[in-house]
Amino acid sequence: MIKKAHILFLLLVISTMGHAQVGNARNEIEIEGSVKGKENFSPISGVQVSTDHGRYTRTDALGEFTIKAAIGDMLIFESPEFETVRHRIRSNEDVDVLVEGYAVSRTARKEKRSVSGTRADISDHRRFLDSANSYKKTNLEKSIDFIARSMEPLGALGNKVELSESLSTLGEVYMYHKQYDLAIANFKDALAARPSNKTRLLLGKAYILNGDFEDAESTLSPLLDIKNMVPYQRVELYEALGDAHKGLSNPKKAQDFYREGLQVAEKNQISPKVIDLNSKIAETYASENRVVEAEGFYQNSLNLSRQVAPERLIQESERVADFYNQKNRYEDEIQLRKKSLNELQQLPQSKVSTESRGFSGADTITSQRINYKIASAYIAQDKLDEAIPYLEKSIVEADQEDDLVVQKDATRKLSEVYRYKGDFSKALESYQDYVAVVDSLYIRKEQEISQAARFNREIANTQNRISSLEQERELSQSKYSLAVTEQQLFEETSKRQKWIIYSLIFGILLTALTAFLYYRTSKQQKLANNLLALKSLRTQMNPHFIFNALNSVNNYIAKNDERSANRFLSEFSVLMRSVLENSEEDFIPLSKELELLELYVKLEHSRFSDKFDYHIEVDKQVDVDAFQIPPMLLQPYIENAIWHGLRYKEEKGFLKIALQQLTPNLLEITIADNGIGRKRSAELKTQNQKKQKSKGMGNIKKRIQILNDMYKNKVEVSISNLNEDQTGTKVTLKLKRD
């Protein structure tokens, strides 16, 4: 076993150039330096350089580093190449570390793994990995590509240290972009190549972000027994274990771990973590409804954040304001959010990231969001006049920032406020703006879904490339073992067949494993594509009904029938809100679907009361709460019955919706109308109408096809003529219960 090289001495070069640059309230400066071998001054790349306040970096291919730190911080150098060394920063100095015996240690290790590649190959690995880290937050595709390229020069029997480092970095990239399953898989592979505390800690965090709290607890708990852990890592360990127990609904254990981490953070003056842990302890107390204790720790986090930076103060203020909102302390919430708004306006940028307590990908704190929350607090107190200016400002700012989500919510709430005040003209105007924003949001969501599908395919291709590199590495290892075995076959003839058989079995197993992984990946990709397609179809609402419904409101207003307009608009808004709320679900309870259909038919009947009557008949044996149905599945069939069957009938028609339970697990729903029939309706269509296909019916067919593929033929639909003379239409839908 090769011993680690020893640190000979620290050569402190006091710089007269003045590298000091003020970083924050701690007066941080930039410390530059290098780590090299003493004998030939060869650079040592990949050395972990950290401070006891949580700053972290690595030496580059030239062995150089730059890190921000304050006077008095402890600088820590860690690497498998030498023993850990610590240095207290006294001034704005350059720190150069010379490692004695590094060249001898490196040569011995290269001889031990001579087939792994040259020193230049390892330098290429480090260079590509540095590039991957630089693109980690800005370009996922490019970052993954650099990681794949960093693995290529490692050779058939590549160094497990470099391999583990590449896989761990890949896991961090995936975790930053919320691809938690892929992050977990790569962290596991990294640990298999070379166990390390850092990678195990990252795996635990990935489990937490993915909601696998039991796996996180079992992964992180063994790290508690490790003695020589860097203080910052120790704090992260306690914090992660607290998060895991919080997810497991064990607030008492979560508090204990948070307090342990807080003690270590305070002892080592790790200010960001002190703020985080005070805030998290407050959250656990709030979850137990222990308001006094929660408010005390929240005040601690606020006071500490004032000493750090305005951005951090805004983050903590918004967190405390959310706590006040949960406890219905709206005046306190409003005052705190107004202070946050003033602080935010003083910053050069218009938004603050909320990623201080975890990986990125979280939402940002913006002026339009704060204004919207202030307005919501006023509305909760029935102070509608005070809420309106904040809602209007939120809408304007959201429009300027192209924040459609906040613009949608604020516009909808403004419409509701005007309706509560009795100003129905402004309510209608705001609601029309809301519908326009929703349409824009639908278009953007469809674009995002398309981009996400393409992006997932690209990620899958790159991940397959990395998997192929691993498979080639394993195959190369197998070939190397076979070559060694062939040299021994001349001396050990009796073992020859055994080695061949073992090698064939290994190859078969490897091929089977590769086939299984390919099958599983294909199956997962197919499921992901189905989910994306289903989500896209759900977000497509037939604008025909919305347009005609709004025209009906205009007709009522033109006739000065304010009561009918108000009633129709209220019922229509209830229907639209329910449709939007259920748009993300594959299935909803049948009882809820019946409520939506009854409201929809009621609205259509109010518009065409002279054209048809209707009746909804539910068999007493039907257990409507036991069945699940895709939302708004029946609406297009009812719309066709009214618009294409009953509306053209000379005398008054009739629409009947009936539910009958055929077996305990099978329900039959029929929609029957005595209208003019499908044949006559087709003859009445214009040439332009004949060229167009019903988008609503097409979407329903696609949804049923995808749902049956995913849930094993749960829905069956058939359409037939009601009468022998081809008048009337009957739609029969059979729904299975799981």
Side-chain angles (χ1 to χ4, degrees), residues 26 32 82 92 184 187 267 305 371 376 383 438 444 456-457 459-460 468 471 477 532 535 597 624 687 709:
R26 295 179 60 245
E32 297 180 354
F82 52 79
N92 56 329
I184 290 170
F187 286 140
K267 180 179 178 181
S305 62
N371 278 309
S376 298
K383 297 181 179 180
V438 168
R444 178 170 296 182
N456 285 339
R457 288 194 297 269
I459 291 176
S468 298
Q471 293 166 9
Q477 291 174 350
L532 288 171
K535 186 173 182 180
L597 289 179
V624 293
Q687 291 299 322
D709 186 37

Side-chain angles (χ1 to χ4, degrees), residues 17-211:
M17 297 297 292
H19 293 293
Q21 296 180 5
V22 177
N24 52 27
R26 295 179 60 245
N27 292 325
E28 289 184 337
I29 58 177
E30 280 194 354
I31 301 297
E32 297 180 354
S34 64
V35 182
K36 299 179 179 179
K38 171 185 175 288
E39 288 77 11
N40 55 4
F41 291 95
S42 58
I44 306 177
S45 63
V47 177
Q48 299 181 10
V49 184
S50 60
T51 70
D52 53 358
H53 278 75
R55 293 292 188 178
Y56 174 86
T57 188
R58 289 177 180 267
T59 56
D60 57 21
L62 299 177
E64 298 175 348
F65 69 90
T66 301
I67 190 169
K68 285 187 177 182
I71 302 298
D73 285 358
M74 181 69 73
L75 204 58
I76 304 165
F77 299 86
E78 297 177 287
S79 174
E81 312 289 352
F82 52 79
E83 297 176 356
T84 300
V85 66
R86 290 174 171 82
H87 168 66
R88 182 73 65 182
I89 298 174
R90 305 296 182 188
S91 63
N92 56 329
E93 59 199 9
D94 285 358
V95 181
D96 295 328
V97 179
L98 298 180
V99 181
E100 184 179 34
Y102 171 74
V104 176
S105 171
R106 197 67 171 176
T107 301
R109 186 162 54 254
K110 287 173 68 177
E111 291 176 354
K112 185 176 180 180
R113 55 179 181 88
S114 58
V115 295
S116 66
T118 64
R119 176 69 184 171
D121 291 334
I122 303 303
S123 298
D124 288 341
H125 163 79
R126 168 51 49 194
R127 179 165 54 84
F128 287 131
L129 212 55
D130 289 341
S131 299
N133 282 314
S134 66
Y135 285 104
K136 179 169 65 176
K137 296 183 179 181
T138 58
N139 193 321
L140 172 61
E141 183 180 1
K142 189 173 288 186
S143 180
I144 296 176
D145 183 67
F146 275 118
I147 292 173
R149 294 169 67 183
S150 76
M151 297 172 65
E152 291 175 353
L154 295 182
L157 302 174
N159 190 332
K160 296 297 184 181
V161 175
E162 279 83 7
L163 175 60
S164 176
E165 191 175 8
S166 292
L167 293 171
S168 182
T169 303
L170 182 59
E172 288 183 72
V173 172
Y174 280 135
M175 187 158 65
Y176 185 89
H177 292 278
K178 297 185 178 181
Q179 303 289 329
Y180 302 129
D181 290 336
L182 293 173
I184 290 170
N186 282 283
F187 286 140
K188 287 181 176 179
D189 292 341
L191 287 172
R194 176 178 174 267
S196 71
N197 296 339
K198 177 189 173 185
T199 305
R200 189 174 292 275
L201 189 58
L202 287 170
L203 176 59
K205 289 181 179 180
Y207 276 132
I208 292 170
L209 293 171
N210 201 40

Side-chain angles (χ1 to χ4, degrees), residues 612-631:
F612 76 98
D613 289 326
Y614 72 94
H615 176 62
I616 299 177
E617 178 180 316
V618 182
D619 193 339
K620 294 181 179 180
Q621 297 180 354
V622 176
D623 186 3
V624 293
D625 293 324
F627 286 85
Q628 299 280 320
I629 189 170

